[in-house]
Amino acid sequence: MPGFFLALDMETPTLKNYDDTRCRRGALRGDGFALCRNTLDKFMDDKLLFEDADYTVCLEGVVYNKAALMHGYGKTDWRETVRALLDERGERFMEALDGPVSGAVRFARNGCWLVFTSRLGEKAVFYWQDGRRFVCGSQLDYVADALRVNGVERRADETALRQFLGYGCYADESTCLCGVKRLYPGSCLRFDPASGGLAVGSYYLADWPEELEGTEEELIRALDGSFRAAMQKILDKDKEYGYTTVLDCSAGLDSRMVCYAAAALGAENVLVQSYGQSGCADIRIAEKISAELGFDFVCRTLDNADCMMHIEDNMRMNSGSASYYHITGGVAMLKMLDRGRFGLECTGLLGDVGASAFYDEEYDGDKIDKNYLRFRNSHLLEYGGDFVCPDSADGRFRWQVNDRFWFYTRGCLFGMSSYFLRQNFMEAATPFGDPEFLRVYLRIPRMHRVRTQLLKKWLLRCYPAAGRYPYGESAVPLKWSSGRWARLAHYYDRLREEIGGRLHPDRPQGMNDISYWYRHNGRFRHMVGTYWEENLDACRAYPAIEALLRRMYASDVTGDKLMALSVLAMFRLYIR
């Protein structure tokens, strides 16, 4: 993810992004520090890099309430507004910033640095410290390259890599490198160069008691009102810059909610995009929804599996935070779009409308269900033997710990890692992550949401036209999936799937069937085998990890093989 880099008492590497022609550089250097940026050339009036007698400041990202803050402080200049925020709020100033934004600030009065990630972590910050030496950056390779040029040994964190293989991501602040951490979503750090003291804390955590009560109609109104307000922020920010908003759409319910909410708000300057295998339900449904709402539509078919060929490009862009393939055609789609026309890509991430919760089991205990199979990336590895969830996960949340833990782990740390790749082309957003929406959604009792399918009811009640289209690969309109027709619709889908499986036993399943690609695309299969054979030596210094990777690669499950390749790519890019 393009962004910023800070080095204290260390030599600075050259910051390289996936496509530097899309980025703008800048640097501030002072006594013992270098603050540099190589940021995406969008929303540049929201981003800052300046130094004066009181502060050294870098802001990275998009600030939805920039105009409101400027008005509130009586300023006509964004830089002066941020100065006023710092004067008033000090090291808590970022709490006033609404949007995906990260940054670094030096306070001249004491020489200390404040570094913070965004509320949901989609603006990542990775860091390393040894005494008075300190580096941090928006990309893992910024930090890894700094260690290399300063002669610091880069060692693999074997416990973290085991966790990665089990979950498909890290469930805490870990990275693949020993000593290199990632700020947890909503976290900040304070570093004192004089003493080498470093403290990490939280400035935002979506963790509230389940205290929102009301009739079903009242709860739905609260959900829809906060969601539309969140969607309006995204549309208004693009309008401020004259950008077109990109809406992702598939056969899922989360992206469908985004499209219908945008239409209800009167959005006009939008483009709906979709990608998948030819003829898949995702493209068909997205095209129909776009036509109904009067939105422009573009799609990209992925039949040639080219999106699966770029292992190291993807692992570099996502900073080794998740498997290389889980964004599938997202990068290929964004490469097609005019680089100057589009601003924010709006996705349905964090929604989980179908289940109405990230943890949808009956268990309500205080102990985290760390082996929750719904979100296990691989069922080959055994929890407790091959990998474990870090102890740091315990005690982080006070309320509905399972739902909160999996919301952050599967939603923010895994799902939103795709934003790291997207941000090489445009900025990315989701109304489901808006703090005011989350304050409504997560305060509704979880089991009430799950048992009543509250979010699905919200969609059907506020946007009834959305119910005309099936959900996923189902052939039954969504409006029939609940109520008195639900059981009949379920049996119809099962019968249809069984008959279809017998008539067409080797057809692709869904928009991104990686197993189908592996079976039928010789070029892709050859790439997988060649990458494995040519790069296995990269992890030979870690025999326990090598043994796990051999098990994964020998699996009949294509996703297991690709996870093994993802880890090999990390060794090549960051460790070796």
Side-chain angles (χ1 to χ4, degrees), residues 217-251:
E217 189 63 37
E218 289 170 338
L219 295 176
I220 286 175
R221 279 203 303 269
L223 286 166
D224 196 53
S226 59
F227 189 80
R228 290 196 190 198
M231 192 70 223
Q232 190 69 64
K233 294 177 188 178
I234 295 168
L235 297 170
D236 286 348
K237 177 53 70 171
D238 271 338
K239 185 177 180 180
E240 175 187 336
Y241 281 83
Y243 291 139
T244 296
T245 304
V246 174
L247 307 180
D248 285 10
C249 191
S250 65

Side-chain angles (χ1 to χ4, degrees), residues 155-170 172 174-178 315 320 381 386-388 539 542 544-546 548-549 552 563-564 566-571 574-575:
R155 296 281 300 169
D157 186 331
E158 296 191 56
T159 300
L161 287 174
R162 288 173 176 271
Q163 180 192 145
F164 179 92
L165 288 170
Y167 292 131
C169 67
Y170 306 104
D172 65 350
S174 296
T175 72
C176 62
L177 285 167
C178 281
M315 292 303 290
L381 304 185
D386 296 318
F387 76 100
V388 294
C539 66
Y542 302 87
I545 296 297
E546 180 185 348
L548 283 180
L549 296 187
M552 296 285 283
M563 281 299 297
S566 297
V567 171
L568 287 183
M570 282 192 270
F571 274 94
Y574 304 116
I575 300 167

Side-chain angles (χ1 to χ4, degrees), residues 102-405:
S102 60
V105 178
R106 178 181 181 271
F107 295 82
R109 64 177 180 268
N110 56 21
C112 292
W113 285 88
L114 169 72
V115 181
F116 63 97
T117 186
S118 54
R119 284 188 176 94
L120 301 176
E122 71 271 59
K123 288 291 182 181
V125 174
F126 303 91
Y127 68 95
W128 173 92
Q129 180 225 357
D130 181 21
R132 297 181 180 180
R133 297 195 299 171
F134 173 84
V135 292
C136 69
S138 303
Q139 295 185 174
L140 183 60
D141 61 353
Y142 290 177
V143 176
D145 287 349
L147 299 184
R148 175 181 54 80
V149 301
N150 285 275
V152 178
E153 183 182 17
R154 295 175 293 174
R155 296 281 300 169
D157 186 331
E158 296 191 56
T159 300
L161 287 174
R162 288 173 176 271
Q163 180 192 145
F164 179 92
L165 288 170
Y167 292 131
C169 67
Y170 306 104
D172 65 350
E173 301 90 344
S174 296
T175 72
C176 62
L177 285 167
C178 281
V180 177
K181 299 296 183 183
R182 173 186 171 187
L183 281 178
Y184 198 79
S187 295
C188 58
L189 66 82
R190 184 180 189 270
F191 182 69
D192 182 356
S195 65
L198 186 149
V200 177
S202 174
Y203 72 90
Y204 175 83
L205 192 68
D207 188 33
W208 304 284
E210 296 179 318
E211 59 188 7
L212 190 61
E213 297 181 354
T215 66
E216 187 169 271
E217 189 63 37
E218 289 170 338
L219 295 176
I220 286 175
R221 279 203 303 269
L223 286 166
D224 196 53
S226 59
F227 189 80
R228 290 196 190 198
M231 192 70 223
Q232 190 69 64
K233 294 177 188 178
I234 295 168
L235 297 170
D236 286 348
K237 177 53 70 171
D238 271 338
K239 185 177 180 180
E240 175 187 336
Y241 281 83
Y243 291 139
T244 296
T245 304
V246 174
L247 307 180
D248 285 10
C249 191
S250 65
L253 304 186
D254 308 326
S255 61
R256 192 177 307 186
M257 182 80 80
V258 168
C259 291
Y260 276 90
L265 292 167
E268 296 179 346
N269 190 18
V270 301
L271 173 72
V272 175
Q273 70 169 18
S274 188
Y275 51 84
Q277 304 234 23
S278 294
C280 69
D282 297 86
I283 291 179
R284 296 197 315 270
I285 291 173
E287 184 175 15
K288 290 177 181 178
I289 289 173
S290 302
E292 177 194 323
L293 300 178
F295 291 155
D296 289 337
F297 175 73
V298 63
C299 71
R300 176 161 181 158
T301 59
L302 307 178
D303 299 353
N304 63 6
D306 183 72
C307 62
M308 304 297 293
M309 306 295 183
H310 311 289
I311 300 174
E312 294 187 5
D313 282 347
N314 285 5
M315 292 303 290
R316 180 180 289 110
M317 284 190 281
N318 79 5
S319 290
S321 59
S323 54
Y324 92 89
Y325 63 91
H326 91 270
I327 193 172
T328 58
V331 170
M333 186 77 241
L334 293 174
K335 285 180 179 179
M336 293 172 52
L337 301 183
D338 185 293
R339 61 193 300 170
R341 177 181 171 187
F342 302 100
L344 283 160
E345 179 187 7
C346 185
T347 78
L349 273 167
L350 302 183
D352 217 13
V353 170
S356 293
F358 271 78
Y359 187 80
D360 60 358
E361 301 293 327
E362 291 285 338
Y363 170 69
D364 267 338
D366 293 332
K367 190 175 181 181
I368 296 174
D369 182 3
K370 298 177 179 178
N371 195 29
Y372 183 34
L373 295 181
R374 179 185 174 199
F375 291 142
R376 279 280 302 276
N377 186 73
S378 170
H379 290 193
L380 178 70
L381 304 185
E382 294 184 5
Y383 184 82
D386 296 318
F387 76 100
V388 294
C389 182
D391 291 338
S392 62
D394 300 318
R396 189 185 299 276
F397 304 102
R398 295 176 59 199
W399 311 100
Q400 281 296 333
V401 294
N402 274 294
D403 194 39
R404 303 299 190 267
F405 172 77

